[in-house]
């Protein structure tokens, strides 16, 4: 095993084979409470381990894991799932030609050999399945498709999978299924989980049919119309602390981009600190109170204008409670510093959680939908007479587009895939935030691209919030809250957790300076040599 640093609460374990990875994953899942592991993200040759650095001593955890014997681990098999497939994929002929066999034999190998789910990632419900005997190892397409239909059955490398929803992709398409591998209307949305066994069958030879996922509709209590949305601005979403621990379903954490601002907004109005609030991007938001409400606005600096029912206008303060009488409107002007403001309402917004959270994940498309003009929201009644906080202040100096923002980073896990000059470029050059940035990540642009030393293909591996991924063009992408759970480009470093709220508030055109807080160092499992010492 190789132990590679990721950030202050996460490390990556690199193994020799997919079989070892699956075995270690099984061991760690069974021992997660004993080892105080909060989450694991398995991939093709690696396992990402997240822990609580306040309660867990990392070197002790590394030492315990390094002593596990993955060679003798008894991998437990999960339940068997049957998936009927119509073998009419666009790439079926090309796959047969690449393997030097007939199309009929491709179908036979796919249907006559049992597959097992190794891990999930890329998208919710997207399962990477392997078979020891199918012998259908084919490369990805040289040119990915812009849109692959939901239900497409595909091959790439040693894996087979089913696309849970329409998305871009570069896998070889061999067929399509009507089986819904992801459906939020089910009690268990993901049909496939790590360890599950899968039998593909030729749909032409079976009577088993399934329906594709329905489009879920998530609404607050429509019987109560306590707040009417007049204008959403660029984007207004419901966000709380996110849905941790859903990696088994292929879903990342999501949640508020600036959790310190969310906590402050909720404390001001007397809510629990993780209550869902409105995350408003770049201002431009306007809403009308249909009953007396107590609200607070925190986060990005903006003008907060209140217009009473009698058409009297006044400017309210951020980080202070604001009373809205029935008929009053609240308007947030354009953000002058920072990107995202948070509007909390005393009692909280009455909307059902999806997979344990009221956050909307813009990549996975999971959670209550983005707000639209004319929509109404219900507010929960206050159950306890909780105190208000009157002394809240911003925990960040919110940056403007003219600022240079310094972000502390941990080098790893793939720093050694880059030249020493590339590391110098990463840490000495200023990186401009481009207009293509969003909640998934900040796309950065520098005068000098980052060059790789290793050019082989990297098998998909787990990523964390704050990961700095280097694609083929050498211009970094800084992953944020809605990032993909796994990625196929090397990660050169990751932003320290204490700077993630700041990263989520950096506006377009601002520049970033990366500051490594220590040199990259790996370990073979020795307590004394681990990178966090």
């Amino acid at each position: 095993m190789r132990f590679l640093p990721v950030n202050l609460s996460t490390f990556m374990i690199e193994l020799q084979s997919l079989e070892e990875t699956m075995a270690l994953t099984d061991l760690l899942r069974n021992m997660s409470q004993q080892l105080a592991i909060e989450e694991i993200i398995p991939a093709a040759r690696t396992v990402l381990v997240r822990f609580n650095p306040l309660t867990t001593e990392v070197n002790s955890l590394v030492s315990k894991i390094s002593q596990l014997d993955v060679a003798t681990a008894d991998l437990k098999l999960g339940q068997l799932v049957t998936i009927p497939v119509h073998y009419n994929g666009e790439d079926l002929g090309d796959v047969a030609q690449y393997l030097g066999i007939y199309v009929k034999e491709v179908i036979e190998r796919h249907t006559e050999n049992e597959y097992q789910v190794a891990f999930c990632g890329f998208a919710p419900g997207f399962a990477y399945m392997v078979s020891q005997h199918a012998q259908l190892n084919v490369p990805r397409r040289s040119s990915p498709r812009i849109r692959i239909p939901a239900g497409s059955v595909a091959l790439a490398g040693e894996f087979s999978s089913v696309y849970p929803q329409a998305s871009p992709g570069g896998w070889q398409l061999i067929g399509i299924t009507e089986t819904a591998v992801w459906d939020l209307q089910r009690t268990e949305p993901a049909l496939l989980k790590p360890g599950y066994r899968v039998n593909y069958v030729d749909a032409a030879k079976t009577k088993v049919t399934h329906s594709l996922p329905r489009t879920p509709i998530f609404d607050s209590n429509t019987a109560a119309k306590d707040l009417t949305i007049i204008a959403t601005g660029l984007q207004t979403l419901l966000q709380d602390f996110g849905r941790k621990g859903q990696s088994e379903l292929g879903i990342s954490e999501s949640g508020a981009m600036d959790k310190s601002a969310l906590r402050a907004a909720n404390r001001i109005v007397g809510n629990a600190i993780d209550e869902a609030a409105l995350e408003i991007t770049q201002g431009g938001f306007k809403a009308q109170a249909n009953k007396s409400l107590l609200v607070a606005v925190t986060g990005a600096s903006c003008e907060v204008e209140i217009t009473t029912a009698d058409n009297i206008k006044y400017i309210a303060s951020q980080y202070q409670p604001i009373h809205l009488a029935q008929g009053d409107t609240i308007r947030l002007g354009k953000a002058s510093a920072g990107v995202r403001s948070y509007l909390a309402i005393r009692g909280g917004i009455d909307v059902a959680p999806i997979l344990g959270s009221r956050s909307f994940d813009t990549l996975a498309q999971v959670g209550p939908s983005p707000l639209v003009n004319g929509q109404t929201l219900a507010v929960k009644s206050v159950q306890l007479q909780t105190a208000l906080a009157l002394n809240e202040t911003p925990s960040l100096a919110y940056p403007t587009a003219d600022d240079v923002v310094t972000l502390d980073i941990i080098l790893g896990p793939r720093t050694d895939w880059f030249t020493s000059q590339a590391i110098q470029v990463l840490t000495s050059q200023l990186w401009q935030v481009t207009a293509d940035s969003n909640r998934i990540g900040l796309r950065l642009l520098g005068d000098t691209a980052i060059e790789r030393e290793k050019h082989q293909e990297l098998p998909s591996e787990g990523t964390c919030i704050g990961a700095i991924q280097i694609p083929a063009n050498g211009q970094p992408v800084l992953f944020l809250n809605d990032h993909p759970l796994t990625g196929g480009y090397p990660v050169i470093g990751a932003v320290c957790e204490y700077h993630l709220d700041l990263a989520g508030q950096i506006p377009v055109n601002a520049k970033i300076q990366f500051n490594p807080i220590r040199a990259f160092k790996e370990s073979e499992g020795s307590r004394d040599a681990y990178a966090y010492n």
Side-chain angles (χ1 to χ4, degrees):
M1 299 180 191
R2 292 180 69 207
F3 291 84
L4 303 168
V6 174
N7 60 26
L8 295 173
S9 62
T10 311
F11 56 83
M12 178 181 288
I13 308 168
E14 184 180 74
L15 298 114
Q16 297 296 318
S17 65
L18 178 61
E19 290 73 22
E20 285 190 0
T21 303
M22 294 172 67
L24 180 61
T25 299
D26 199 47
L27 286 171
L28 294 180
R29 288 198 195 282
N30 294 332
M31 300 174 65
S32 59
Q33 287 189 334
Q34 176 185 341
L35 296 175
I37 293 173
E38 293 194 343
E39 188 167 34
I40 61 173
I41 302 177
R45 300 289 186 274
T46 60
V47 179
L48 208 67
V49 175
R50 184 168 60 83
F51 60 94
N52 185 340
L54 298 178
T55 59
T56 302
E57 205 284 308
V58 62
N59 292 302
S60 175
L61 178 57
V62 166
S63 178
K64 290 175 182 176
I65 294 175
S66 68
Q67 294 171 28
L68 298 177
D69 188 355
V70 294
T72 60
D74 183 18
L75 187 61
K76 296 179 181 178
L77 297 177
Q79 68 184 58
L80 179 65
V81 178
T82 299
I83 298 180
V85 179
H86 299 278
Y87 287 97
N88 55 4
E90 296 178 48
D91 303 319
L92 186 58
D94 292 339
V95 168
Q97 184 177 9
Y98 178 85
L99 296 172
I101 58 179
Y102 292 108
V103 166
K104 179 182 178 182
E105 190 172 351
V106 173
I107 298 172
E108 288 174 351
R109 291 186 185 184
H110 201 241
T111 56
E112 293 177 3
N113 294 284
E114 185 176 278
Y115 280 78
Q116 186 175 13
V117 178
F119 59 95
C120 295
F122 175 66
F126 191 97
Y128 291 77
M129 295 172 262
V130 292
S131 172
Q132 293 184 349
H133 308 294
Q135 296 181 322
L136 290 174
N137 196 322
V138 295
R140 287 178 171 84
R141 287 172 52 87
S142 57
S143 177
R145 291 182 170 88
I146 296 175
R147 185 182 185 277
I148 291 178
S152 294
V153 180
L155 303 172
E158 60 194 312
F159 299 108
S160 178
S161 193
V162 179
Y163 279 80
Q165 56 193 13
S167 66
W171 288 39
Q172 306 282 358
L173 306 184
I174 62 172
I176 195 162
T177 180
E178 296 171 347
T179 300
V181 294
W182 178 258
D183 186 351
L184 279 169
Q185 303 290 357
R186 293 191 300 236
T187 304
E188 292 287 341
L191 181 67
L192 305 173
K193 295 182 180 181
Y196 279 23
R197 296 170 295 140
V198 176
N199 273 349
Y200 292 106
V201 297
D202 192 339
K205 301 178 181 178
T206 181
K207 296 181 180 179
V208 178
T209 59
H210 298 270
S211 61
L212 286 173
R214 295 157 285 173
T215 301
I217 300 175
F218 303 117
D219 269 328
S220 60
N221 181 4
T222 54
K225 300 179 179 180
D226 301 326
L227 187 73
T228 299
I229 308 302
I230 299 172
T232 62
L234 182 63
Q235 184 182 64
T236 298
L237 307 173
L238 265 71
Q239 295 292 341
D240 54 21
F241 279 6
R243 45 182 65 83
K244 289 184 178 180
Q246 299 290 349
S247 60
E248 192 175 44
L249 302 180
I251 298 177
S252 60
E253 182 178 320
S254 191
M257 296 280 277
D258 182 354
K259 290 182 174 59
S260 64
L262 175 62
R263 291 187 190 96
N266 277 318
R267 282 194 292 259
I268 292 168
V269 297
N271 289 343
I273 59 172
D274 59 348
E275 186 64 59
L278 301 184
E279 181 181 86
I280 300 159
T281 302
Q282 294 288 8
F285 174 85
K286 187 177 182 181
Q288 181 179 54
N290 300 321
K291 71 173 187 179
S292 179
L293 298 173
L294 188 70
V295 304
V297 178
T298 61
S301 301
C302 63
E303 183 180 78
V304 181
E305 182 186 77
I306 309 299
T307 303
T308 69
D310 298 327
N311 203 33
I312 298 173
K313 299 180 187 291
Y314 67 93
I315 303 301
S317 298
Q318 290 185 256
Y319 287 87
Q320 289 294 313
I322 303 169
H323 176 251
L324 298 178
Q326 182 176 353
D328 288 358
T329 62
I330 181 170
R331 181 186 65 83
L332 272 60
K334 183 179 179 180
S336 58
V339 178
R340 295 171 175 89
S341 304
Y342 293 84
L343 190 153
I345 306 174
R346 182 169 174 81
I349 299 166
D350 189 6
V351 63
I354 309 301
L355 298 177
S357 171
R358 294 172 174 84
S359 293
F360 180 71
D361 186 325
T362 59
L363 177 65
Q365 296 291 297
V366 173
S369 300
L371 271 62
V372 297
N373 296 346
Q375 181 177 352
T376 59
L377 296 176
V379 177
K380 293 183 286 186
S381 59
V382 178
Q383 301 299 319
L384 298 173
Q385 294 302 314
T386 53
L388 309 183
L390 303 178
N391 58 353
E392 292 291 328
T393 56
S395 61
L396 307 175
Y398 289 109
T400 70
D402 298 323
D403 288 338
V404 175
V405 181
T406 298
L407 297 177
D408 290 348
I409 65 171
I410 299 290
L411 292 175
R414 296 299 176 188
T415 308
D416 57 352
W417 277 52
F418 298 89
T419 64
S420 57
Q421 181 182 3
I423 308 303
Q424 179 68 19
V425 168
L426 173 74
T427 58
S428 63
Q429 179 172 259
L430 296 182
W431 299 95
Q432 185 176 32
V433 177
T434 71
D436 292 332
S437 302
N438 51 33
R439 282 182 53 92
I440 298 170
L442 299 181
R443 293 187 177 272
L444 308 179
L445 180 64
D447 293 335
T448 304
I450 293 176
E451 295 184 8
R452 287 169 57 170
E453 187 169 44
K454 298 181 181 180
H455 295 280
Q456 66 263 40
E457 186 173 341
L458 178 71
S460 292
E461 53 190 33
T463 60
C464 67
I465 299 176
I468 305 166
Q469 191 182 69
I470 310 298
N473 65 3
Q475 300 291 346
V477 178
L478 171 54
F479 281 168
L480 296 177
N481 295 41
D482 294 354
H483 69 94
L485 198 65
T486 59
Y489 292 114
V491 170
I492 196 170
V495 174
C496 295
E497 291 88 331
Y498 55 80
H499 273 170
L500 289 177
D501 285 353
L502 176 58
Q505 291 282 15
I506 303 176
V508 171
N509 292 327
K511 294 181 173 61
I512 293 175
Q513 172 84 62
F514 290 121
N515 174 47
I517 63 174
R518 56 175 162 248
F520 171 72
K521 185 179 181 183
E522 67 171 89
S523 167
E524 296 296 336
S526 165
R527 177 174 180 146
D528 295 330
Y530 191 62
Y532 290 102
N533 281 345

